[in-house]
Amino acid sequence: MSARSSNGIQQQQQPNTTPQRLQSTPWFHGKISREEAEMLLVPPYDGMFLVRESTNFPGDYTLCVSFGGRVEHYHIIYRDHHLTIDEEEMFETLGQLVEHYQNDADGLCTSLTIPVPKKGNPEVCFDTKDFQNAGWVIPNDDVKLGDVLGKGEFGDVLLGYWHGTKVAVKTLKDPHAVQMFLTEASVMASLRHPNLVQLMGVVLDGPSSRISLVTEYMGKGDLAHFLRSRGRQQITKKDQLNFSRDCCAGMAHLEAKKVVHRDLASRNVLLSDEMVAKVCDFGLARDLTFVGDASKLPIKWTAPEALKDSRCFSNKSDMWSFGILLWEIYSFGQAPYRRIALCDVVKFVEKGYRMEAPENCPAEIHEIIRQTWDAVPENRPTFAELLARFESLRTAYV
Ligand code: ADP
């Protein structure tokens, strides 16, 4: 932590590692047979993969990849502290190897897409050493805890003080959620943008070995609550446009980094004391461990294609959610589809029903919302395109 030991978010430097090193290893299944691996890669989906210990070459590993309805098994040789498949590209860790082949097929049948997570004890799937090595671990004693800021899915979020800076500390209560929790941390660690809530570090040695995420403190709390509590008396058109633009800028960064958020909503946007909106809650981002568990999906915010098939989550499905978020901003935090029962929303939307523009919503914003809800994902705009439109709308207000 020496490089980042003192005061303040602004002065902080990136830890001395590429953030990509922070990786969960849910795809590592240890000692399973070739047949077991093949059963886990069903139903087939090109690029779906896992890593197991090699049975034929003890000490080596095997990368199993689904492609064209078959499973290819690649021998990963471990020699002289390096791992390689083709004896050309060498890697220090399995995480680096997987990341390489996620970015590029480089001789494999396909690039790696969906990791098949190991079931059972999630603790063994995540190597907290990655956090340690990357300099993201904050000693427990360095953080002083204060009041409760809010209640999260995994536990309370507390105000904290870290080297004189206010921070938010989210502590994990249920150890079974550690995988998702650390996935959130690793996604946050790999991203740095003024409109994304910044991770400052992870406390791994908290009371009873609890894990906490330490993030920048956002003094005005979550946007959903802010919109509802301040309402149209206090929130101006300019504020609404700024919130929209800020969220779009954060999402454009995710889009550029090929990260899919999956849970974009006003409840997952936080406001700083200076009223800058930042997207947070990367708990579902990139995490594919919940494939098939549709019960966890925020139905009213999720694009129809992603509700039907979780492999269809994309930056375009995030764009659909962004349209709902815009609708929330311009309706001052009303609940979407409030006259339709939750179980009927999907049916309505699939038949072409779309919410009307919120009262007094500017025509140009309504036009953007309409485009985000195009039934065909490819027809929806990109966040980069929308950002340019928000910037020009903003100059019109000045
Ligand atoms: P979860 O994702 O587990 O539901 P959240 O991250 O949304 O939890 O946090 C729950 C609440 O805690 C938020 O709605 C917000 O009011 C508060 N909170 C979370 N993070 C911060 C932060 N960085 N600064 C200030 N308040 C926060």
Side-chain angles (χ1 to χ4, degrees):
M1 298 299 298
S2 56
R4 45 203 299 274
S5 60
S6 65
N7 47 53
I9 302 163
Q10 277 77 22
Q11 283 101 348
Q12 251 186 312
Q13 292 167 19
Q14 186 78 19
N16 59 354
T17 182
T18 53
Q20 284 77 3
R21 277 188 62 96
L22 296 176
Q23 284 221 344
S24 64
T25 55
W27 35 257
F28 184 64
H29 288 244
K31 244 190 191 59
I32 57 167
S33 66
R34 183 185 179 95
E35 292 70 30
E36 282 170 305
E38 293 189 352
M39 306 248 287
L40 287 166
L41 291 163
V42 170
Y45 182 71
D46 285 354
M48 195 158 74
F49 71 98
L50 59 83
V51 178
R52 61 185 170 90
E53 288 178 28
S54 170
T55 34
N56 294 341
F57 304 93
D60 288 357
Y61 301 94
T62 306
L63 171 66
C64 311
V65 190
S66 177
F67 186 66
R70 296 168 40 105
V71 176
E72 301 292 338
H73 298 261
Y74 294 96
H75 179 193
I76 304 174
I77 304 162
Y78 181 59
R79 189 184 301 147
D80 301 332
H81 306 291
H82 282 90
L83 297 152
T84 182
I85 290 180
D86 56 9
E87 304 209 36
E88 280 177 23
E89 291 289 339
M90 300 286 171
F91 306 93
E92 281 175 28
T93 65
L94 283 174
Q96 287 173 0
L97 180 143
V98 163
E99 193 191 325
H100 175 81
Y101 291 105
Q102 278 175 322
N103 292 332
D104 184 356
D106 195 13
L108 302 190
C109 53
T110 169
S111 58
L112 308 178
T113 55
I114 299 180
V116 175
K118 181 178 160 74
K119 295 235 166 18
N121 181 0
E123 270 105 325
V124 300
C125 303
F126 212 108
D127 191 356
T128 51
K129 280 202 198 75
D130 282 347
F131 285 90
Q132 212 105 43
N133 294 341
W136 282 100
V137 174
I138 296 177
N140 185 40
D141 293 343
D142 282 8
V143 184
K144 306 280 167 276
L145 295 178
D147 296 338
V148 175
L149 294 172
K151 297 226 172 288
E153 194 191 326
F154 303 121
D156 290 344
V157 180
L158 301 180
L159 175 63
Y161 297 88
W162 179 52
H163 295 292
T165 306
K166 274 186 177 175
V167 290
V169 184
K170 193 165 166 182
T171 300
L172 179 66
K173 254 200 219 139
D174 175 6
H176 295 292
V178 71
Q179 176 71 56
M180 195 147 163
F181 201 66
L182 288 179
T183 300
E184 176 169 355
S186 67
V187 175
M188 283 180 104
S190 68
L191 299 164
R192 191 165 278 259
H193 187 273
N195 300 109
L196 298 176
V197 172
Q198 182 62 49
L199 180 78
M200 325 220 14
V202 196
V203 178
L204 296 174
D205 52 354
S208 30
S209 300
R210 280 192 184 166
I211 298 175
S212 305
L213 300 194
V214 180
T215 63
E216 67 177 298
Y217 170 67
M218 301 291 287
K220 291 206 158 42
D222 68 272
L223 180 62
H225 180 256
F226 187 89
L227 291 167
R228 281 174 210 143
S229 58
R230 306 297 201 283
R232 57 183 84 236
Q233 283 74 31
Q234 291 179 47
I235 298 174
T236 64
K237 282 255 161 358
K238 196 170 162 196
D239 293 332
Q240 288 172 309
L241 189 55
N242 284 339
F243 296 155
S244 309
R245 180 261 159 219
D246 287 351
C247 295
C248 186
M251 292 305 296
H253 188 70
L254 294 194
E255 182 179 72
K257 297 279 171 195
K258 300 194 169 50
V259 173
V260 179
H261 190 291
R262 296 163 175 250
D263 196 9
L264 180 63
S266 66
R267 61 181 175 276
N268 290 332
V269 173
L270 295 171
L271 292 179
S272 72
D273 280 325
E274 295 76 31
M275 297 269 278
V276 176
K278 306 193 185 201
V279 175
C280 70
D281 244 318
F282 300 94
L284 298 181
R286 257 198 214 143
D287 177 29
L288 290 144
T289 54
F290 81 124
V291 166
D293 186 359
S295 66
K296 289 228 172 95
L297 296 179
I299 292 187
K300 290 183 173 182
W301 281 261
T302 304
E305 74 276 6
L307 283 174
K308 270 207 201 127
D309 181 349
S310 55
R311 288 174 303 191
C312 294
F313 274 103
S314 65
N315 296 117
K316 294 293 186 185
S317 64
D318 277 351
M319 181 50 77
W320 176 287
S321 313
F322 181 70
I324 306 277
L325 167 61
L326 286 179
W327 190 92
E328 292 182 281
I329 292 173
Y330 282 88
S331 67
F332 299 92
Q334 274 184 28
Y337 309 100
R338 72 200 150 123
R339 292 199 188 85
I340 305 176
L342 189 62
C343 55
D344 292 331
V345 169
V346 183
K347 250 187 312 187
F348 269 70
V349 169
E350 287 200 329
K351 281 194 189 137
Y353 173 83
R354 298 292 184 268
M355 285 189 286
E356 283 174 13
E359 207 183 315
N360 296 329
C361 175
E364 57 275 27
I365 299 291
H366 185 221
E367 177 54 20
I368 292 175
I369 294 178
R370 234 183 32 75
Q371 292 175 11
T372 66
W373 295 339
D374 197 304
V376 181
E378 294 71 37
N379 293 347
R380 297 172 202 154
T382 65
F383 285 101
E385 281 161 20
L386 278 196
L387 182 58
R389 278 159 75 179
F390 282 121
E391 299 286 14
S392 63
L393 284 175
R394 220 156 59 142
T395 48
Y397 269 88
V398 178

